[in-house]
């Protein structure tokens, strides 16, 4: 019965672009350039740096306590290495990691 429902939903989407309320899309891609992090637990600052060939292209400074973010730089020159990720993806990634890194530092 479950397989029949899945087949029905799949046909609805393929023929009429009708989606079920709970459906969504997720795209997965390998992350070739991983940000490096520096943590200042006293001030609640986390600095995420995106580097390629030892050159800094994007710096994101996250103030976790005040919930402020400052970005400097661009990923335009290394677009072929970061595709399909864009600047805002890296910023969101660094923000999420910043909160967990500060929590880890405060519990130690």
């Amino acid at each position: 019965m479950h397989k029949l429902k899945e087949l029905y939903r799949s046909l609805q989407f393929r023929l009429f672009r009708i989606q079920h309320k709970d459906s969504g899309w997720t795209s997965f891609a390998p992350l070739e350039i991983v940000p490096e992090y520096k943590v200042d637990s006293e001030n609640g600052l986390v600095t995420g740096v995106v580097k390629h060939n030892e050159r800094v292209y994007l710096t994101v400074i996250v103030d976790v306590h005040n919930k402020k973010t400052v970005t400097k730089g661009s990923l335009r020159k290394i677009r072929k290495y970061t595709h399909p990720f864009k600047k805002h993806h890296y910023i969101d990634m660094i923000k999420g990691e910043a909160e967990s890194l500060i929590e880890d530092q405060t519990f130690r």
Side-chain angles (χ1 to χ4, degrees), residues 17-74:
R17 297 289 183 212
I18 298 172
Q19 287 186 347
H20 189 344
K21 291 179 188 176
D22 297 333
S23 66
W25 295 101
T26 302
S27 59
F28 294 98
L31 188 64
E32 292 184 21
I33 299 177
V34 179
E36 297 176 6
Y37 298 98
K38 297 176 190 172
V39 180
D40 181 8
S41 58
E42 293 176 10
N43 299 324
L45 295 174
V46 175
T47 305
V49 179
V50 178
K51 290 182 179 181
H52 180 66
N53 289 337
E54 299 302 319
R55 183 168 177 216
V56 176
Y57 286 93
L58 180 67
T59 304
V60 180
I61 302 169
V62 181
D63 187 354
V64 177
H65 298 305
N66 296 327
K67 297 183 181 178
K68 293 185 180 181
T69 305
V70 178
T71 61
K72 298 175 186 174
S74 171

Side-chain angles (χ1 to χ4, degrees), residues 61-101:
I61 302 169
V62 181
D63 187 354
V64 177
H65 298 305
N66 296 327
K67 297 183 181 178
K68 293 185 180 181
T69 305
V70 178
T71 61
K72 298 175 186 174
S74 171
L75 298 175
R76 273 190 214 140
K77 294 182 181 177
I78 56 172
R79 185 179 298 150
K80 65 181 177 181
Y81 301 111
T82 61
H83 183 75
F85 297 101
K86 296 187 182 337
K87 184 177 178 179
H88 66 89
H89 291 115
Y90 275 97
I91 293 170
D92 291 341
M93 185 185 330
I94 292 170
K95 279 183 187 177
E97 286 291 322
E99 294 172 2
S100 64
L101 288 171

